[in-house]
Amino acid sequence: MVVEGLLYTKDHEWAKVEGDVVTMGITDYAQEQLGELVFVELPQVGKQLVARKEIAVVESSKAAGDVYSPVTGTVTEVNSELGTKPELINEDCYKSGWICKLQVTDKKSLDNLMNAKKYQEYLDTL
Amino acid sequence: MQGSTPSGQFVFEPPVAEPAPSVLYEEHLKLTNKSRMSPFAGYVMPLWYSTIAAEHQAVRRAAGLFDCTHMGVLEFSGGGAVGVLHAATTNDVRKLAVGRAQYGYILDAAGNILDDIIVYRRAEQLYMVVVNAANEPKIKAYLKELLAGRVVIEVEPHRTGFSPCEPCIFRDMRDTASGSDCRVDIALQGPASIDVLAKLSSDGSIAEKLSGLKPFAFFEEKLSGIDCLICRTGYTGSKVGFELFVHPDQAARLWNLILEAGKPLGVLPCGLGARDSLRIEAGLPLYGHELDGKFGISPFEAGYGWAVKLDKAFFVGKAPMAKIAQTYEMQVTRLEFSAAKGVRPIRPDDPVVDGCGVCVGWVLSSATAGEKQYALACISRNAATEGNTLGVYYLARSPSQVQQGRAERMDKGQQAQADLTGTVVGRFEKF
């Protein structure tokens, strides 16, 4: 399932852009692949990242997956509920399963993201 | 090169091929997405249909159905069969009665485990041998070479062998050349198994026959008109469970009949994920992890010394086994840890740390079962006492953890602080 109005990466992260603030998480495709998540390692608030750098780690009993930042920016908020409820990512990956928010520091990094239509086309090739 | 080296090792390079659909592939697609299918041992297999946890629980509380049609099924017949198997495997095949099965190992002359197997004696001179899917091409090649007299069967004195004196016919029971005799494996495991199978038989006494069937015993019977070998064997640690061997043309039909009959009882189809978590929870070894693999684990270290009959006059690999039996220092151990939310999963290769903060070995396999995590670990024998407290150190899972100073590997004897502590529990558990 792909949601309109969000932007996407080839590594299956989604980004919700509201001015300079981006909320991010992993897509339905990614959570399906991983299976039931049991552990999420969140970034520190204040961490500065370049787009495509590892921002979080999600673990299911079978696999650990690296989550990459969709944009260049600074982490301003993390979804600490994921500490006790990692399964929120499986159940509601685009809303309550959000991973963190970033303050964008390089607007150009947004240019590399795909819209919903392009992401769906990309998924169809997999 | 392929074949025996002078040191007795059997070298084999499997042919590279695209993973093939199993006999039940179409049935899997009816139950799950292609995205949940994964290459495994040369086949495309489902990792899960619903969730690993639900499928695992189904096997413990009701029953689960497993596609094991990718496993190798071989046949030895004729007067020479028993002698060949007795020499080629570590257990005592001469003692095996008709209607009984036996766990053992096929070794090369250097003592490497080529596979762990189960031998079923179907008749006086008729034996069925079930082997791991991943090892099937290697085992078939080895046995063919053995029967042709081209394998090194002993290093000191150097001997190749061996052609049996009496005829021994070797067949692949999944090759179409075996015609109506072909057989593939479907496993039904869990306490509801007997009730489910009873629904498929017109024989009023079937439930009694199944309850009375001893572990590792089997009989042949028709289920809904399908010829089956019904064997009380399995790989989930279930006290009640069966492996059913049927003709591949009947496999899909039997699969669906079982799921239909089992639905009201809570029976679920189970993928590779649950298969792995169940066998780990039960303490059962997987070739390449708890057997052979990067630590070259022998049957003794794995806890299966009883399946290596050193009092046999001869078997391939006897001399190296006799040595290992006297000298082995590591042991496969089952460890139990918490799996509460927020507790990081243990992974293979994670070092095991003792009460003094010293690395005593490493995790081979790990899985979550309900509220617990289980690890099968290869550790020093003297740390392996049941009830001992041991810990696990989480190796770096990502580049940023490496940057934070987390180790990427650890040697035995190295100092480390455990991230999670747990207990050594019984080597095996049955459910």
Side-chain angles (χ1 to χ4, degrees), chain B residues 364-383:
Chain B
L364 303 163
S365 303
S366 56
T368 300
E371 295 293 299
K372 299 281 177 201
Q373 290 192 64
Y374 290 93
L376 296 177
C378 184
I379 65 172
S380 303
R381 281 172 80 178
N382 51 26

Side-chain angles (χ1 to χ4, degrees), chain B residues 239-267:
Chain B
K239 286 182 188 158
V240 181
F242 303 92
E243 289 189 71
L244 309 163
F245 292 87
V246 297
H247 193 277
D249 293 348
Q250 302 286 356
R253 192 163 157 254
L254 183 65
W255 171 270
N256 288 312
L257 284 169
I258 292 174
L259 286 180
E260 208 184 305
K263 206 165 181 185
L265 299 168
V267 175

Side-chain angles (χ1 to χ4, degrees), chain B residues 24 63-69 71 184-190 193 233-236 241-245 255 258 268 270 275:
Chain B
L24 294 171
L65 189 60
F66 298 80
D67 174 3
C68 296
T69 60
M71 295 194 67
V184 291
D185 183 357
I186 297 177
L188 179 65
Q189 303 276 306
S193 304
T233 48
Y235 189 52
T236 54
F242 303 92
E243 289 189 71
L244 309 163
F245 292 87
W255 171 270
I258 292 174
L268 293 182
C270 298
R275 189 155 107 179

Side-chain angles (χ1 to χ4, degrees), chain A:
Chain A
M1 185 191 74
V2 175
V3 171
E4 273 298 324
L6 299 179
L7 297 177
Y8 298 86
T9 68
K10 280 218 162 101
D11 296 313
H12 311 291
E13 289 96 18
W14 59 264
K16 184 175 181 188
V17 183
E18 292 166 301
D20 308 354
V21 177
V22 162
T23 309
M24 66 143 305
I26 63 172
T27 65
D28 189 41
Y29 180 87
Q31 70 77 17
E32 258 274 310
Q33 290 282 306
L34 287 160
E36 323 139 54
L37 294 176
V38 297
F39 188 81
V40 178
E41 188 186 301
L42 296 166
Q44 297 273 53
V45 169
K47 183 163 186 185
Q48 293 176 353
L49 293 128
V50 172
R52 309 281 305 280
K53 278 263 119 181
E54 184 213 292
I55 194 170
V57 180
V58 291
E59 295 198 45
S60 67
S61 53
K62 283 292 121 195
D66 290 333
V67 181
Y68 304 101
S69 183
V71 296
T72 299
T74 310
V75 178
T76 55
E77 215 184 312
V78 300
N79 184 358
S80 45
E81 268 218 84
L82 295 177
T84 45
K85 293 215 189 107
E87 68 272 15
L88 283 173
I89 295 180
N90 297 113
E91 290 161 10
D92 193 21
C93 56
Y94 296 111
K95 295 239 189 77
S96 56
W98 66 278
I99 293 176
C100 65
K101 293 187 203 255
L102 297 118
Q103 177 85 23
V104 180
T105 53
D106 180 4
K107 282 222 149 66
K108 282 209 289 262
S109 64
L110 290 162
D111 297 342
N112 297 319
L113 302 175
M114 293 181 265
N115 63 24
K117 183 163 175 281
K118 286 238 154 66
Y119 180 58
Q120 183 62 65
E121 283 167 12
Y122 169 61
L123 287 182
D124 294 336
T125 66
L126 294 177

Side-chain angles (χ1 to χ4, degrees), chain B residues 72-305:
Chain B
V73 184
L74 309 173
E75 184 189 79
F76 288 81
S77 58
V82 64
V84 170
L85 288 171
H86 193 72
T89 71
T90 59
N91 209 337
D92 193 337
V93 182
R94 289 194 188 281
K95 275 212 182 113
L96 189 58
V98 174
R100 289 297 170 102
Q102 185 187 80
Y103 179 73
Y105 300 90
I106 294 179
L107 310 174
D108 65 21
N112 300 302
I113 301 177
L114 297 177
D115 202 12
D116 62 330
I117 59 160
I118 297 185
V119 179
Y120 302 74
R121 188 176 188 186
R122 292 179 69 179
E124 273 296 304
Q125 297 183 355
L126 184 63
Y127 295 83
M128 181 174 84
V129 180
V130 179
V131 305
N132 281 308
N135 293 324
E136 196 229 16
K138 173 178 66 173
I139 293 296
K140 275 194 338 206
Y142 174 80
L143 292 169
K144 282 194 184 130
E145 292 294 288
L146 182 72
L147 291 168
R150 288 192 291 259
V151 157
V152 170
I153 59 168
E154 199 167 15
V155 179
E156 198 70 47
H158 190 93
R159 288 201 291 150
T160 47
F162 59 68
S163 316
C165 341
E166 285 182 73
C168 174
I169 301 156
F170 172 53
R171 290 202 295 170
D172 175 354
M173 301 313 282
R174 296 185 317 133
D175 189 326
T176 48
S178 295
S180 58
D181 292 338
C182 279
R183 289 289 180 270
V184 291
D185 183 357
I186 297 177
L188 179 65
Q189 303 276 306
S193 304
I194 292 175
D195 289 339
V196 175
L197 293 179
K199 283 185 171 186
L200 300 181
S201 174
S202 50
D203 176 351
S205 66
I206 189 81
E208 223 184 296
K209 261 192 200 163
L210 293 169
S211 317
L213 195 61
K214 293 205 166 94
F216 282 84
F218 66 95
F219 62 96
E220 313 208 14
E221 177 97 10
K222 274 196 202 294
L223 289 177
S224 298
I226 303 169
D227 287 319
C228 288
L229 266 98
I230 303 178
C231 311
R232 195 145 178 180
T233 48
Y235 189 52
T236 54
S238 302
K239 286 182 188 158
V240 181
F242 303 92
E243 289 189 71
L244 309 163
F245 292 87
V246 297
H247 193 277
D249 293 348
Q250 302 286 356
R253 192 163 157 254
L254 183 65
W255 171 270
N256 288 312
L257 284 169
I258 292 174
L259 286 180
E260 208 184 305
K263 206 165 181 185
L265 299 168
V267 175
L268 293 182
C270 298
L272 294 175
R275 189 155 107 179
D276 203 34
S277 61
L278 287 158
R279 68 101 187 160
I280 290 169
E281 187 189 22
L284 300 173
L286 176 63
Y287 184 87
H289 296 250
E290 291 76 29
L291 294 168
D292 197 60
K294 63 170 75 150
F295 300 105
I297 295 176
S298 72
F300 293 95
E301 282 132 334
Y304 289 91

